[in-house]
């Protein structure tokens, strides 16, 4: 499970071209994880 999350995060970060995009991706990921808990 942790490997899947790590791969998804790396893929999302690799797909971003801007710092703002990275921030949005990180925020989205954090909201998703928060929703799981």
């Amino acid at each position: 499970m942790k490997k899947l999350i790590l791969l998804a995060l790396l893929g999302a970060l690799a797909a971003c071209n801007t710092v703002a995009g990275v921030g949005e991706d990180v925020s989205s990921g954090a909201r998703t994880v928060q929703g799981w808990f």
Side-chain angles (χ1 to χ4, degrees):
M1 181 69 176
K2 289 182 182 180
K3 281 187 177 183
L4 179 63
I5 294 171
L6 181 59
L7 288 175
L9 287 175
L10 288 175
L13 291 175
C16 302
N17 292 326
T18 64
V19 173
V22 172
E24 290 174 10
D25 289 343
V26 170
S27 295
S28 176
R31 283 192 296 270
T32 301
V33 171
Q34 186 178 20
W36 293 343
F37 293 107

